[in-house]
């Protein structure tokens, strides 16, 4: 049984301030709240074999904070997790990679993370999950076979219920 | 926007010890954990206009604890929330009742609470939510029209991530 934790990036600078969306960093409030969330996850005993993150600055900074707090020693960027990424290309990666792994964190964007969760748990995305910035989702993937529509949702929390 | 909180009863005595399932009470561990969850909900600022509970002893005791902590001043029993209850009969009650209400807690049983949530959020139950004893679900219902397949899931937590 593999546990997948989907973490949305923290509060980032406004779009108007940056010509390139990919370069928007976390605000100081975003960094602070993300750090508090990471500390709480650590305190709850969570550890990840790997953190896979969108390479966009606001996501990468979020993933760096998770790693710095001690949630994982492994961090990789993946284009599957950009706003343009799709779950089926990620699943191809997953199927090759998931041997010998117990827990994996994905750091990325909305609406992707909520929709991926819906696809894993119910087989299709309706956009009916509320995933706040620095919010966390927990999904249990089956050990064998496709996880699409066969995974279990065990956690969904906004940061305010975690702090 | 109405917020619905579904709370599963705490840890109860084993079936073997009671001739009637309806009479099984919370164990002392169950009472203690439920109290901790209730205190945490209070600390997070949650208040309910009404707690509606299954009349079965383990649910009623759970609801009594929520009320005693100060989460609501109103508590009612409802047969809709027994293990035999179904969401559509509850929805009839809901449609007549939900005027002027901001937040409502339902205390009941599995698999009902998880399935009701799936029906509200995705329109059908697949049994893919993990709802632990004394676990909490948060669903946002639309102000108008049927909530079936049109509600938003904003929270799902096992007690261990809340304590």
């Amino acid at each position: 049984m593999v546990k997948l934790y989907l973490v949305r990036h923290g509060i980032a600078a406004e779009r108007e301030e940056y010509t390139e969306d990919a370069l928007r960093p976390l605000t100081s409030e975003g960094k602070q709240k993300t750090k508090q969330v990471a500390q709480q996850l650590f305190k709850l005993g969570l550890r990840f074999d790997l953190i896979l993150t969108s390479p966009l600055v606001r996501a990468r900074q979020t993933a760096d904070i998770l790693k710095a707090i001690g949630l994982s020693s492994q961090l990789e960027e993946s284009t599957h997790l950009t706003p343009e990424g799709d779950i089926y290309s990620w699943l191809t990666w997953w199927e090759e990679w998931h041997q010998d792994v117990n827990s994996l964190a994905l750091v990325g964007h909305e609406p992707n993370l909520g929709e991926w969760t819906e696809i894993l748990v119910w087989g299709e995305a309706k956009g009916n999950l509320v995933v706040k910035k620095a919010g966390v989702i927990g999904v249990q993937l089956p050990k064998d076979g496709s996880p699409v529509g066969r995974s279990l949702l065990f956690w969904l929390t906004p940061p305010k219920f975690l702090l």
Side-chain angles (χ1 to χ4, degrees), chain A residues 74-93:
Chain A
Q74 303 296 318
L75 170 61
E76 287 176 24
E77 292 186 355
S78 166
T79 53
H80 301 312
L81 290 166
T82 63
E84 294 72 36
D86 88 293
I87 187 170
Y88 295 100
S89 59
W90 173 76
L91 278 170
T92 307
W93 172 87

Side-chain angles (χ1 to χ4, degrees), chain A residues 34-58:
Chain A
T34 302
K35 198 171 165 187
Q36 287 178 319
V37 166
Q39 284 167 333
Q40 189 64 13
L41 298 183
F42 188 88
K43 203 174 129 196
L44 291 172
L46 300 188
R47 300 294 183 272
F48 312 124
D49 295 313
L50 172 65
I51 300 169
L52 201 67
T53 184
S54 154
L56 274 59
V57 170
R58 58 193 184 277

Side-chain angles (χ1 to χ4, degrees), chain A residues 60-121:
Chain A
R60 173 71 203 219
Q61 287 182 332
T62 299
D64 285 337
I65 290 168
L66 299 180
K67 182 165 182 277
I69 293 291
L71 287 162
S72 182
S73 59
Q74 303 296 318
L75 170 61
E76 287 176 24
E77 292 186 355
S78 166
T79 53
H80 301 312
L81 290 166
T82 63
E84 294 72 36
D86 88 293
I87 187 170
Y88 295 100
S89 59
W90 173 76
L91 278 170
T92 307
W93 172 87
W94 163 253
E95 277 155 30
E96 289 170 11
W97 182 84
H98 80 295
Q99 278 68 310
D100 317 319
V101 160
N102 292 310
S103 93
L104 170 68
L106 304 181
V107 180
H109 307 269
E110 273 293 281
N112 306 41
L113 296 181
E115 291 182 358
W116 288 28
T117 300
E118 291 181 299
I119 290 168
L120 291 170
V121 178

